Amino acid sequence: MNFKFADIGEGIHEGVILEWKYKVGDTIEEGETLVIVETDKVNAEIPSPVTGDIKTLGPDAGEEIHVGETLAIIDDGEGDDEDEAATVKDSDQKDDTSNDESSSESAEEEKGAGVVGSIEVSNDVIASSTEGEEEDEEIVNKRVLATPVARKLAKDLGVDIKTIKGSGKNGRVMKDDIYQAAEKNGPQSDKETSSKGSKRIQVDASLPNFDENRTRREKISKLRQTIADNMTTSKTVIPHTTVMDEVIVEALVQFREENKSLAKERDVHMTYMPFIIKALTKTLEEYPRFNSSFDYDKSEIIYKNYMNIGVAVDTPDGLIVPNIKDADKRGVFGLAKELSTLKEKANNKKIQLEDLRDGTISITNYGVFDSTFGAPVIKYPEVAILGIGRISEKPVAVDGEVVIKHVLPLSLSIDHRVIDGGDAGRFLRTFKSYLKNPMLLLLS
Amino acid sequence: MAVQTVLSAINQTLFEQMKKDDSVVVFGEDVGFEGGVFRATKGLQQEFGKDRSFDSPLAESAIIGSAIGMAVNGLKPVVEIQFSGFMFPGYNQIVAHAARYRNRTRGLYNVPMVIRMPYGGGIRALEHHSESLETLFAHIPGLKVVIPSTPYDAKGLLTSAIQDPDPVIFMEPKRIYRAFKQELPDKEFKVPIGKAKTLKKGEDITVVAWGALVRETEKAIKGLEDEGIDVELIDLRTIQPYDKEAIANSVKKTGRLLVVHEAVKSFGPGAEIISMINEKAFLYLEAPPTRLTGPDITVPLPKGEHHFIISPERIRAKIKEVMAF
């Protein structure tokens, strides 16, 4: 590069070379002092603007150098600058201030070294200003209102915050909204709109004044609050009805007993639940409406081409419903293993949001508490839930005789908006046929 | 239409305003005979005589103090401080008198004056020649502070400053004095003080810059759209009173903010802008409002200056960092 002595400040015209710090042929690093120049204001150490080999140097020490003259030509690998070193206008000439500096005028693009530094000079013409031409942009805030804490929560829970209708001031998305959306695995309903499918009916549920001396208040956990919200939504939105029945499961009990050792060999804990899940998936193939959701606003049923069977787990903190993904694609052993994994995760508080999302139908087993029948609450937005009671030996009539058999009580709750009692009855009949004859699970 | 550099646009504006208004006077160190260290006032003395364009003693307090006296008594002084780092002897005059005179006299007198000063780094200068001291002025009630980033804004803002009834600090980023040119209208025009300019519209992140760093930011964001980052670039132009609405509305749209300035970090303009955004657009934020600034050190001498200077690469990296939050 052609490195010139420029007046870029202090208003000087010339200086005297006091000392060259390098000689021709030397390699100089960018920023190293090349020369000391004495001016009427200051003795200035002038650094090299580039790294390269010094090809020529300006006047000898003791001689004058004028503004615009070449201090040095340095080969910095950017091309040969010798030719342009011959004639250099000084910056006074170059700085056209007669109000008509034209872009066609040739100007050097260079770095000039003055006693106070070097300024870039260029002929680049930038785009003309658009001052005054801007159209007033209509301010459309498409963004969701939420605190950074809430945004982080949504991110952590894998919820798209943009899909959540905020319940706070001006539609601000609150943390509770996000928890609910995460639990429901989808956009939260606007409880205050007239949406027929999700309108929360406003009732006066205010409490009487309890005597503080005879009562105790306890703050509930976040999970408890979520359960409360979800149950309220389910029971408010879904018109439930429950169909109950019993099925003799003698063959199933025997089948399980016979295959216990086989399961043990494979390190599988074999309960009745894997068989029940398998039977449920087989039944759903015939009755896909039980594996759907209902879009009331659009008057459409959303059929799901996958079966993620939720299993209610009673943990010390409360009820959660993780689901087995693609249960229809698993065998009985596979379902048993997955069930064990989910229960272990639930009890160790290691359930991930992924485990709770995308359920399509649920099973709740209150048989473990020795209960028989129930009226299970559907997990919104699912449309059915199957309740399983305790298998017990009971006297039953078979071919005109009273005999003792293993009996499994069933309670099927349905969303009566899309499923009728007849559908539920037929569904249960098919389901029972699989449990009566477990070999069908393998053969069909 | 004529093509101008930032420097020649300033010179042309001074010519125009002195011609238009006899009360405009221009003075400072080397301003008259030499036409200023950078030649911003070149030709004024020859055109308007020594009474209206003259050299002052090397005494900033005297330059600003006498200008205040002139302004209060009906003139419109446009003074030049040779480099912003040399303004401290005159700082008392600016803060104690220029900024307060309107208030002190309960509106009886105002102080229509402009204090021009080259500022900023990136030119391998000596000590006291590279600072960015806009905060020291912006923090004083009664002062307006403007910084152009283009020849057009240099002319439009200087015209507004000269015609403003109150003291205006006009800071000139010397690194871009002659770094590029722009076509300007021939007739007088003004750029309003206090109004930012959106140079590029975008959806993903708002970047606010001013002075020489506007060009560096423009280089930085080239090609970012190909990487899926749509930057909205705002040139602040006026540091005080600054355009809060423009920034807040932009951040409400993008949800992210990066402020880029050469001034040192602590208590800098970025801190103010980010605080304002926390007040006006907190609920819209997708990421912490962020600043990319000079470090809290004296600007290094030439050999180490590149450690201080904010390059396009650093701006680009910081934008990606905010986007990835």
Side-chain angles (χ1 to χ4, degrees):
Chain A
M1 76 164 293
N2 183 6
F3 184 38
K4 295 165 190 164
F5 185 55
D7 170 22
I8 63 115
E10 313 286 1
I12 57 158
H13 294 287
E14 70 280 315
V16 175
I17 303 290
L18 279 188
E19 183 188 355
W20 289 105
K21 294 286 189 180
Y22 288 81
K23 58 187 188 299
V24 173
D26 285 352
T27 300
I28 188 168
E29 293 283 322
E30 180 186 348
E32 295 291 342
T33 300
L34 171 67
V35 61
I36 301 174
V37 179
E38 178 188 36
T39 71
D40 55 3
K41 293 205 174 197
V42 69
N43 287 356
E45 293 185 357
I46 295 184
S48 170
V50 291
T51 295
D53 299 332
I54 298 171
K55 295 170 78 177
T56 66
L57 289 177
D60 292 338
E63 292 182 2
E64 277 194 349
I65 182 160
H66 296 89
V67 164
E69 290 175 354
T70 295
L71 268 172
I73 290 178
I74 302 168
D75 181 3
D76 59 346
E78 295 293 313
D80 191 353
D81 292 287
E82 269 189 289
D83 294 344
E84 68 174 60
T87 54
V88 179
K89 299 179 195 170
D90 91 9
S91 60
D92 283 15
Q93 290 170 292
K94 191 167 40 197
D95 225 7
D96 188 325
T97 53
S98 59
N99 308 344
D100 61 353
E101 191 164 327
S102 109
S103 56
S104 61
E105 179 195 336
S106 68
E108 319 77 42
E109 305 204 8
E110 62 182 74
K111 282 191 172 170
V115 295
V116 291
S118 53
I119 277 189
E120 178 188 353
V121 180
S122 163
N123 254 347
D124 284 352
V125 178
I126 62 171
S128 298
S129 174
T130 57
E131 189 73 27
E133 296 169 20
E134 304 92 341
E135 287 174 25
D136 280 347
E137 192 181 10
E138 191 187 341
I139 299 162
V140 183
N141 295 326
K142 292 172 285 187
R143 306 207 73 77
V144 169
L145 292 181
T147 62
V149 164
R151 288 180 200 280
K152 183 173 188 307
L153 178 69
K155 203 173 175 179
D156 289 347
L157 293 177
V159 177
D160 183 357
I161 201 166
K162 291 197 285 290
T163 64
I164 300 175
K165 188 85 179 172
S167 62
K169 190 181 173 188
N170 297 327
R172 177 173 150 193
V173 177
M174 312 302 281
K175 282 195 280 185
D176 280 352
D177 299 332
I178 296 164
Y179 280 119
Q180 285 181 34
E183 186 63 25
K184 284 180 194 159
N185 165 34
Q188 201 222 337
S189 319
D190 177 8
K191 302 187 193 100
E192 306 308 325
T193 67
S194 60
S195 163
K196 291 177 286 183
S198 53
K199 182 182 177 188
R200 175 178 286 184
I201 295 164
Q202 299 300 310
V203 292
D204 181 9
S206 55
L207 294 168
N209 290 325
F210 294 111
D211 182 351
E212 284 182 24
N213 297 319
R214 296 165 59 211
T215 54
R216 180 174 65 87
R217 281 182 172 265
E218 183 184 86
K219 200 80 188 158
I220 60 170
S221 68
K222 182 59 69 179
L223 177 61
R224 190 75 255 157
Q225 181 63 54
T226 304
I227 294 168
D229 290 345
N230 290 342
M231 292 300 105
T232 306
T233 302
S234 288
K235 292 297 282 187
T236 306
V237 173
I238 303 173
H240 283 64
T241 190
T242 306
V243 179
M244 299 176 190
D245 204 348
E246 288 181 326
V247 54
I248 296 171
V249 287
E250 212 58 41
L252 178 63
V253 172
Q254 202 178 329
F255 188 83
R256 176 173 164 261
E257 279 301 318
E258 288 168 358
N259 291 290
K260 254 189 173 174
S261 56
L262 202 62
K264 206 166 184 178
E265 279 173 27
R266 285 168 169 70
D267 199 25
V268 173
H269 178 60
M270 185 65 87
T271 61
Y272 290 107
M273 190 56 95
F275 294 99
I276 290 166
I277 295 169
K278 192 69 195 169
L280 182 62
T281 60
K282 292 287 180 193
T283 312
L284 288 172
E285 285 171 13
E286 289 182 53
Y287 301 93
R289 188 171 288 197
F290 286 73
N291 195 57
S292 71
S293 285
F294 180 45
D295 187 338
Y296 197 124
D297 292 340
K298 292 185 178 168
S299 303
E300 288 175 348
I301 295 172
I302 304 158
Y303 290 95
K304 294 158 189 175
N305 303 326
Y306 51 93
M307 293 181 197
N308 298 341
I309 311 293
V311 180
V313 180
D314 176 56
T315 73
D317 296 328
L319 182 81
I320 58 171
V321 189
N323 61 72
I324 298 175
K325 303 284 186 254
D326 296 319
D328 54 317
K329 295 186 172 63
R330 299 174 194 262
V332 175
F333 280 163
L335 291 168
K337 277 187 173 173
E338 187 61 21
L339 208 52
S340 299
T341 306
L342 282 181
K343 281 186 174 168
E344 194 179 326
K345 279 164 87 175
N347 289 320
N348 295 331
K349 297 187 177 179
K350 290 195 171 155
I351 283 286
Q352 302 293 306
L353 181 67
E354 195 53 36
D355 299 322
L356 300 170
R357 293 171 68 172
D358 276 348
T360 57
I361 187 170
S362 299
I363 299 175
T364 175
N365 178 7
Y366 37 79
V368 292
F369 312 115
D370 289 341
S371 302
T372 307
F373 289 104
V377 179
I378 298 164
K379 184 170 180 278
Y380 185 84
E382 295 168 16
V383 294
I385 182 166
L386 181 64
I388 306 293
R390 183 171 59 92
I391 294 177
S392 57
E393 289 182 306
K394 288 174 72 173
V396 290
V398 179
D399 299 332
E401 288 188 26
V402 175
V403 290
I404 303 295
K405 294 282 184 187
H406 284 93
V407 175
L408 168 64
L410 301 169
S411 306
L412 176 68
S413 290
I414 51 164
D415 182 340
H416 214 324
R417 296 174 304 172
V418 288
I419 299 169
D420 294 332
D423 302 321
R426 284 184 285 273
F427 183 92
L428 270 184
R429 195 163 54 201
T430 303
F431 178 73
K432 280 161 43 180
S433 69
Y434 284 113
L435 292 187
K436 277 181 191 165
N437 186 1
M439 290 310 287
L440 281 176
L441 295 175
L442 308 175
L443 300 173
S444 58
Chain B
M1 299 286 271
V3 176
Q4 305 281 3
T5 61
V6 168
L7 197 57
S8 64
I10 290 167
N11 181 264
Q12 185 194 58
T13 308
L14 292 169
F15 262 96
E16 278 178 10
Q17 295 305 305
M18 288 180 83
K19 195 171 283 184
K20 179 181 172 180
D21 183 350
D22 289 345
S23 65
V24 177
V25 293
V26 175
F27 61 99
E29 293 156 20
D30 294 323
V31 160
F33 180 76
E34 288 280 2
V37 290
F38 291 101
R39 305 293 178 265
T41 57
K42 186 180 171 210
L44 297 178
Q45 191 175 73
Q46 290 81 345
E47 178 74 18
F48 299 103
K50 287 185 177 178
D51 287 348
R52 294 188 60 201
S53 175
F54 53 90
D55 295 335
S56 72
L58 206 154
E60 283 74 15
S61 181
I63 294 168
I64 294 166
S66 57
I68 294 168
M70 293 179 196
V72 168
N73 285 285
L75 294 177
K76 284 187 185 168
V78 182
V79 299
E80 180 179 292
I81 301 297
Q82 200 159 72
F83 288 92
S84 68
F86 301 148
M87 65 90 186
F88 289 99
Y91 192 59
N92 173 57
Q93 293 290 345
I94 296 172
V95 175
H97 303 299
R100 291 168 162 263
Y101 222 87
R102 184 193 277 272
N103 180 277
R104 183 179 293 151
T105 63
R106 295 296 176 263
L108 192 61
Y109 294 102
N110 57 310
V111 188
M113 65 186 283
V114 179
I115 304 171
R116 291 180 42 245
M117 57 183 82
Y119 89 99
I123 70 154
R124 306 165 166 278
L126 307 172
E127 200 189 356
H128 300 302
H129 288 69
S130 300
E131 288 76 8
S132 297
L133 302 173
E134 56 266 40
T135 299
L136 298 186
F137 302 110
H139 195 64
I140 305 301
L143 296 179
K144 292 168 183 165
V145 185
V146 297
I147 300 180
S149 71
T150 63
Y152 184 96
D153 287 350
K155 185 173 179 183
L157 284 168
L158 185 56
T159 303
S160 293
I162 292 170
Q163 295 179 14
D164 197 275
D166 294 304
V168 179
I169 311 294
F170 191 87
M171 299 181 74
E172 299 165 7
K174 58 185 173 290
R175 195 187 345 170
I176 57 167
Y177 262 157
R178 287 159 46 190
F180 47 83
K181 299 174 180 180
Q182 189 178 29
E183 275 203 354
L184 307 190
D186 296 324
K187 60 179 193 304
E188 178 189 287
F189 62 87
K190 286 160 80 169
V191 167
I193 291 173
K195 193 146 174 51
K197 183 168 177 62
T198 303
L199 297 177
K200 178 188 170 294
K201 289 200 185 303
E203 296 293 326
D204 296 333
I205 178 170
T206 302
V207 181
V208 178
W210 53 91
L213 289 187
V214 169
R215 187 173 63 134
E216 301 308 292
T217 306
E218 284 176 325
K219 289 178 193 168
I221 64 177
K222 270 203 175 80
L224 270 183
E225 273 183 58
D226 297 339
E227 297 181 42
I229 301 173
D230 188 10
V231 175
E232 179 140 314
L233 174 59
I234 294 178
D235 179 357
L236 193 60
R237 301 199 297 192
T238 298
I239 309 302
Q240 181 70 335
Y242 73 101
D243 196 341
K244 294 174 182 168
E245 281 64 36
I247 303 171
N249 287 337
S250 175
V251 172
K252 283 178 182 176
K253 181 175 69 170
T254 64
R256 295 179 181 87
L257 171 69
L258 173 65
V259 184
V260 184
H261 64 68
E262 213 173 282
V264 298
K265 186 172 191 172
S266 298
F267 308 97
E272 159 58 30
I273 293 168
I274 288 168
S275 294
M276 180 276 293
I277 284 299
N278 283 336
E279 290 162 5
K280 288 182 179 282
F282 183 70
L283 291 175
Y284 296 82
L285 292 171
E286 298 278 0
T290 304
R291 54 193 159 154
L292 177 61
T293 71
D296 285 337
I297 58 170
T298 301
V299 184
L301 293 172
K303 197 172 176 181
E305 195 184 21
H306 63 281
H307 292 299
F308 187 99
I309 292 303
I310 295 165
S311 63
E313 292 72 27
R314 286 180 62 199
I315 298 169
R316 202 179 169 91
K318 190 57 90 170
I319 289 171
K320 288 182 176 178
E321 192 183 300
V322 177
M323 288 303 300
F325 180 81

